[in-house]
Amino acid sequence: MDYQIFQSNVSSLQIIRPRQKQRKIFNRIEKTNFQVDTSKSLSAETLAEKRDLKLQDFNSIDWGDSELGLKQCLSETFELLKEYTKSSDGTLYIVKGTEIQKVIKTNEGFTHGMKWSIGEGTTLAAYVAFTGKYMCLNKVCNIHRDSKFPLGTAVYERRPLAILCIPAETPFETTLAVFEYVRFESSEYSKAILKFALTMITRMTNALMKKNQRIRIDDWKVQFKEKLLNIFHQYSVAEIDCDKLISDVMILTRDYIKAKQVCYYIPVNKNKKKVYLYEEGITDSDKLFRKVKLACIADDRIVSHVWETGTFIIVAGREQLEQYGIKDELIVSILCVPIGAEDKVLGIAKVVNKHKDDLFTLQDAVEVRRGCIYCALAVKHCNAKEEFRVVEKMFEELKQTYLYFSLGCEHDINIFLETVMKIVLPKDVERYDWYPNNEEREYLAEYAWLMFRNLFKDEPFFKKFSSFLMAVRQGYRHIPYHNFEHAFNVAHTVYVILLNNLDEFTQLEKICMLIAAICHDLDHPGFTNQFLRITSHPIAQLHAESCLEYHHSFVSRVLIDHYQLFAHLSPEERKKCLKEVHDLIIATDLCVFVRKCEELELLLQKDLYDENIHSYDNVHSRFVWSSKIFLYITKNNTLMGELLKRLGIDPPQFMTKENFRSLPKQQVKFLQMMCEQGADLLSKLLPNTRKLYDLYKSAREKWVNVIPQLPFIETHLKEQWAERNKKPTYKCEN
């Protein structure tokens, strides 16, 4: 041949495959100081800056992720080396499949020129791309005679006398591009120039590959997370098969970190080291199967250590493996990751050996932990669902127990119906100021039945109402104030309102209002919401606010459903009636009552109230100024105060006996701020209810007159108090 080529006898510049080449070059490159003649074309400062461009500089430059960005990176490196190597001309080729294409830079970007198939028998660049070896040809006479590249170089203006052709080889032994430089003068490419060109191209290729690898890893992470979410979503929309979800997630995690084997443990008994074990099948390694019996992992020191400490561990190397009792020579490394804390480990994943015998990394631990989180969530979900099923069964059992003690027997119902047929409603029952005397109190249930009959005797639900009313009466406890007598008084007030405004409400609205009135304090324990919250009563723990009212609504719903009072209605009507009853009962909470009054007053002031839209949330119980009822309320409050003292809690002032003298003032305030305000708003909506407002105002005035005489009547009231206290006291049902 009529040209010189650097052969393998030049030890520092052997023609080698890329992985070997990179290792040899990078072992020496940091010790090499390149001397560059900067007298031509480039300033010393600019060339030195370009010459010292290192791998991290390539990483810091954003060339984008597209093919255009790749060409931009290759083009910039190509121009830099063209200046450094003092080449007369050159051509950049990019590899596209099985061909190389000439890259031509334009003002608008890049375009492609001629292309050749990669292999022997075409051009020098195609041959270099095929072999992955660089070619440095000096003293070229007739390159076309070589059968390996008979077409020689690209078409230049003159015949080149020296050629430098270097492939951009990736670590995966593939060619990314080919850099071809030529000189038309007789000067040759020196070893130093060749070294620098090889280093720059190798560094650039590695930077591109690392960036591409980071992009791929990020894509893998996104895909991994999406697959995890998709798996969890598939099982969440339906009944979760916990075993299959754990299997799918752990197999996906194993494949993602390129491990060979995976196991998953669900801790059961820490002292006995008992777990549920999921491991790969003998014939099907793409599924995890749970062992039927609990497994003991006391002999597995790695899993036991992770369970005890709550931290992950990577064990690699024969010495470390033997310390943990691993004698199997096929095992190279183990990664064991828990999810949870030291005192409460929810799950443990163990992966064994990576492909190509690589070691596990911290990033692998992060990804395994991510998979463990989904598995632990599935286990917690299934456990919670099972606990919910148990609670549901307990709830049904307790509901049946409540119904058993609340429902009247057929004999009692027959006696009740016989009695109710023999009596009539008192003549003044249609007046707001009617209040049952001692004799009439014996027939409150009968009077309630007669009031319902007067309004709803032709309604389908009334056939079942007798049994329902007996259960409601039985559902009220024998406590001083919030008892069936109080429920009847509220129902009576609503009854009178309805009688005087029959055309203002629909039939279903009237039914809901009267049922809500008779049921509004069902199963009242005799304590206020504040007391229940202070003592952390179960009712207060079930409901954040209006806890008693929610309890009354729930018990009412149990009885309504049991007797199927609304079974004759359409599903939409039934749902509406149940919500109406619920809302009416919730509105008996004084906090809700005050808020509703403020809202209603604002609407009336702005003339926004529509007479065709009724707000039935304000079920007003008429405050009775009887001294006996006053004593009932006082006794109830002081009883709560005594119970709080026993629990070591300072009771509110209104719950203490020492506050006795201030109670009349509290009654005056209650009548003025609550009763009168509510009745005044009601009379603006329903004018014929103004009598209620007058009664409340009269009661307040009587209490105002009582305050100066309190010292004289205090002795009498205390005697009545003492008489009442002789009856059994009521304990807090907590």
Side-chain angles (χ1 to χ4, degrees):
M1 295 294 175
D2 296 327
Y3 54 84
Q4 293 180 350
I5 179 172
F6 286 131
Q7 300 288 354
S8 59
N9 60 343
V10 182
S11 60
S12 62
L13 294 173
Q14 296 177 9
I15 301 177
I16 50 180
R17 293 303 292 163
R19 288 197 177 190
Q20 184 182 359
K21 176 177 65 179
Q22 290 160 11
R23 284 198 297 271
K24 291 191 175 184
I25 290 174
F26 284 115
N27 286 339
R28 296 184 300 276
I29 196 64
E30 300 300 333
K31 302 177 182 178
T32 304
N33 294 319
F34 295 108
Q35 300 299 323
V36 182
D37 181 6
T38 59
S39 60
K40 293 184 180 180
S41 62
L42 293 178
S43 67
E45 182 180 356
T46 304
L47 190 56
E49 180 182 353
K50 293 190 175 184
R51 180 199 68 190
D52 293 335
L53 195 62
K54 294 185 179 180
L55 182 60
Q56 57 267 33
D57 299 315
F58 282 109
N59 288 330
S60 64
I61 298 174
D62 184 11
W63 290 302
D65 303 329
S66 64
E67 184 178 345
L68 179 62
L70 173 64
K71 292 176 182 177
Q72 181 67 28
C73 169
L74 294 172
S75 177
E76 289 183 9
T77 307
F78 175 81
E79 294 297 333
L80 183 151
L81 288 176
K82 183 179 176 183
E83 293 288 345
Y84 176 79
T85 60
K86 303 182 182 68
S87 297
S88 304
D89 204 344
T91 305
L92 172 64
Y93 299 91
I94 189 169
V95 175
K96 301 284 288 183
T98 60
E99 297 177 330
I100 60 170
Q101 293 182 329
K102 183 178 179 180
V103 178
I104 303 172
K105 188 174 182 180
T106 64
N107 293 332
E108 290 76 21
F110 297 92
T111 184
H112 292 136
M114 298 181 66
K115 56 185 178 180
W116 293 272
S117 296
I118 296 175
E120 296 180 352
T122 56
T123 63
L124 176 64
Y127 175 75
V128 167
F130 173 67
T131 61
K133 303 174 182 178
Y134 63 83
M135 300 288 287
C136 184
L137 310 179
N138 290 321
K139 298 181 180 179
V140 177
C141 292
N142 196 345
I143 193 175
H144 302 283
R145 295 180 181 178
D146 197 320
S147 61
K148 296 176 182 177
F149 32 85
L151 298 181
T153 60
V155 179
Y156 298 108
E157 295 178 357
R158 298 164 56 188
R159 176 182 293 180
L161 298 179
I163 305 172
L164 180 61
C165 197
I166 303 175
E169 284 282 286
T170 72
F172 310 106
E173 299 190 359
T174 58
T175 303
L176 187 65
V178 177
F179 294 73
E180 182 182 89
Y181 300 101
V182 297
R183 285 180 177 177
F184 301 129
E185 297 83 8
S186 59
S187 59
E188 302 175 355
Y189 286 107
S190 66
K191 295 177 182 179
I193 289 177
L194 179 56
K195 273 187 179 182
F196 186 79
L198 284 171
T199 302
M200 288 298 295
I201 293 174
T202 305
R203 286 182 177 274
M204 177 212 66
T205 307
N206 274 283
L208 284 174
M209 289 301 100
K210 286 194 173 183
K211 181 174 183 181
N212 182 59
Q213 187 179 21
R214 287 196 299 270
I215 295 170
R216 289 180 62 191
I217 289 174
D218 291 341
D219 290 341
W220 291 342
K221 285 183 179 179
V222 172
Q223 293 174 12
F224 178 59
K225 293 174 183 177
E226 287 180 351
K227 287 180 180 178
L228 282 176
L229 289 172
N230 287 336
I231 289 174
F232 200 75
H233 174 71
Q234 289 173 7
Y235 292 103
S236 299
V237 295
E239 190 74 16
I240 286 184
D241 185 340
C242 190
D243 292 345
K244 192 171 188 310
L245 186 143
I246 290 175
S247 174
D248 290 348
V249 170
M250 283 293 102
I251 293 298
L252 178 65
T253 305
R254 179 201 68 184
D255 295 342
Y256 174 69
I257 66 171
K258 295 179 173 58
K260 294 182 179 179
Q261 187 179 350
V262 64
C263 298
Y264 189 76
Y265 306 83
I266 300 177
V268 176
N269 189 317
K270 190 172 185 179
N271 294 328
K272 296 182 179 181
K273 294 292 186 295
K274 295 287 186 178
V275 298
Y276 284 115
L277 172 59
Y278 293 79
E279 57 185 0
E280 296 175 8
I282 298 176
T283 58
D284 189 355
S285 61
D286 287 334
K287 287 184 181 179
L288 293 186
F289 299 89
R290 178 165 64 93
K291 287 191 173 182
V292 178
K293 295 183 179 180
L294 290 175
C296 179
I297 49 93
D299 295 335
D300 192 329
R301 298 180 191 175
I302 295 178
V303 178
S304 298
H305 172 80
V306 169
W307 193 351
E308 291 290 339
T309 61
T311 58
F312 78 91
I313 185 174
I314 299 175
V315 182
R318 183 50 45 198
E319 184 178 348
Q320 281 192 3
L321 289 168
E322 289 179 354
Q323 288 178 359
Y324 285 95
I326 307 298
K327 298 180 180 180
D328 190 346
E329 294 184 357
L330 296 177
I331 296 178
V332 177
S333 62
I334 294 176
L335 168 62
C336 198
V337 181
I339 182 66
E342 180 180 349
D343 56 338
K344 185 63 175 178
V345 175
L346 303 176
I348 301 171
K350 183 174 75 172
V351 286
V352 180
N353 289 355
K354 292 194 74 170
H355 290 290
K356 299 182 181 180
D357 292 335
D358 292 336
L359 300 181
F360 291 108
T361 64
L362 295 178
Q363 186 60 38
D364 293 332
V366 171
E367 302 306 334
V368 173
R369 185 176 183 275
R370 182 175 286 112
C372 286
I373 290 173
Y374 284 93
C375 293
L377 284 174
V379 173
K380 292 290 286 183
H381 173 84
C382 292
N383 290 343
K385 203 157 189 177
E386 184 59 32
E387 291 175 3
F388 180 73
R389 290 193 188 98
V390 173
V391 171
E392 273 189 321
K393 293 176 182 177
M394 293 174 61
F395 167 74
E396 288 298 325
E397 184 179 350
L398 291 173
K399 190 166 71 172
Q400 294 303 319
T401 303
Y402 171 80
L403 289 172
Y404 174 79
F405 288 104
S406 296
L407 306 183
C409 65
E410 187 176 350
H411 174 72
D412 292 339
I413 294 173
N414 289 334
I415 293 177
F416 171 78
L417 290 175
E418 290 176 3
T419 305
V420 80
M421 295 302 176
K422 297 177 182 178
I423 63 174
V424 294
L425 285 172
K427 62 178 181 179
D428 295 331
V429 74
E430 297 182 1
R431 293 167 52 95
Y432 289 114
D433 57 354
W434 174 80
Y435 191 79
N437 55 36
N438 290 335
E439 293 182 1
E440 292 170 336
R441 285 197 189 94
E442 300 296 326
Y443 302 103
L444 295 182
E446 287 80 1
Y447 292 159
W449 186 90
L450 291 172
M451 289 190 299
F452 270 85
R453 187 187 67 173
N454 286 351
L455 293 175
F456 314 120
K457 64 179 179 179
D458 296 327
E459 292 294 326
F461 85 91
F462 190 71
K463 298 176 182 178
K464 312 167 189 176
F465 184 71
S466 301
S467 301
F468 173 77
L469 183 60
M470 291 293 95
V472 169
R473 183 176 65 175
Q474 189 68 19
Y476 279 91
R477 305 187 189 187
H478 298 287
I479 53 178
Y481 181 67
H482 295 94
N483 47 38
F484 184 71
E485 180 179 340
H486 166 68
F488 173 82
N489 291 333
V490 174
H492 168 256
T493 302
V494 174
Y495 171 72
V496 177
I497 292 174
L498 293 177
L499 278 180
N500 292 296
N501 298 276
L502 291 175
D503 296 334
E504 296 294 326
F505 307 98
T506 67
Q507 191 72 347
L508 286 180
E509 288 171 344
K510 287 182 275 188
I511 292 172
C512 292
M513 290 177 69
L514 205 52
I515 288 178
I518 201 69
C519 296
H520 82 280
D521 272 338
L522 257 177
D523 196 40
H524 198 297
F527 307 105
T528 63
N529 284 331
Q530 182 183 9
F531 178 88
L532 297 183
R533 283 192 292 270
I534 292 174
T535 58
S536 298
H537 194 281
I539 293 178
Q541 295 179 33
L542 279 173
H543 310 287
E545 57 182 16
S546 304
C547 52
L548 277 173
E549 288 69 29
Y550 272 95
H551 178 65
H552 305 325
S553 174
F554 165 73
V555 178
S556 303
R557 175 68 181 272
V558 170
L559 295 180
I560 291 172
D561 289 347
H562 178 77
Y563 288 103
Q564 298 183 341
L565 289 189
F566 301 143
H568 62 288
L569 301 175
S570 66
E572 292 77 13
E573 290 177 325
R574 179 177 178 275
K575 183 177 179 180
K576 182 180 178 181
C577 286
L578 290 172
K579 184 179 184 304
E580 191 81 7
V581 172
H582 169 78
D583 292 344
L584 289 167
I585 293 176
I586 298 301
T588 60
D589 181 359
L590 290 181
C591 294
V592 179
F593 168 77
V594 171
R595 186 170 67 248
K596 292 292 184 181
C597 282
E598 292 174 353
E599 293 174 0
L600 184 57
E601 189 170 14
L602 185 62
L603 289 175
L604 290 171
Q605 289 176 356
K606 294 182 178 181
D607 197 23
L608 297 176
Y609 181 76
D610 186 351
E611 292 185 357
N612 296 319
I613 303 176
H614 303 287
S615 174
Y616 309 117
D617 290 344
N618 299 313
V619 180
H620 300 279
S621 65
R622 176 172 51 88
F623 179 82
V624 180
W625 50 88
S626 167
S627 62
K628 292 182 180 180
I629 290 184
F630 170 59
L631 285 174
Y632 292 157
I633 298 173
T634 305
K635 178 182 177 182
N636 200 78
N637 290 339
T638 54
L639 173 60
M640 288 188 288
E642 291 298 321
L643 290 173
L644 288 177
K645 286 180 180 179
R646 293 177 194 173
L647 295 172
I649 301 172
D650 291 334
Q653 188 178 11
F654 72 91
M655 292 184 183
T656 60
K657 290 183 179 180
E658 293 77 10
N659 193 44
F660 181 81
R661 286 176 176 257
S662 65
L663 290 176
K665 294 181 180 179
Q666 294 175 16
Q667 294 302 108
V668 170
K669 186 176 180 180
F670 176 79
L671 284 164
Q672 186 174 19
M673 302 299 296
M674 297 291 183
C675 301
E676 289 185 36
Q677 182 184 9
D680 183 49
L681 285 172
L682 182 63
S683 66
K684 292 178 181 179
L685 301 176
L686 303 172
N688 55 27
T689 62
R690 189 66 183 179
K691 179 65 176 177
L692 268 177
Y693 173 80
D694 296 336
L695 290 173
Y696 289 135
K697 184 177 180 181
S698 175
R700 176 173 59 83
E701 291 172 352
K702 288 183 179 180
W703 278 110
V704 170
N705 295 330
V706 163
I707 291 175
Q709 307 173 31
L710 187 60
F712 303 101
I713 65 174
E714 183 175 354
T715 303
H716 175 67
L717 290 175
K718 285 185 176 181
E719 289 176 358
Q720 294 189 44
W721 193 332
E723 185 68 24
R724 292 287 177 184
N725 282 334
K726 291 180 181 179
K727 295 184 179 181
T729 58
Y730 303 92
K731 297 181 180 180
C732 177
E733 301 179 16
N734 198 346

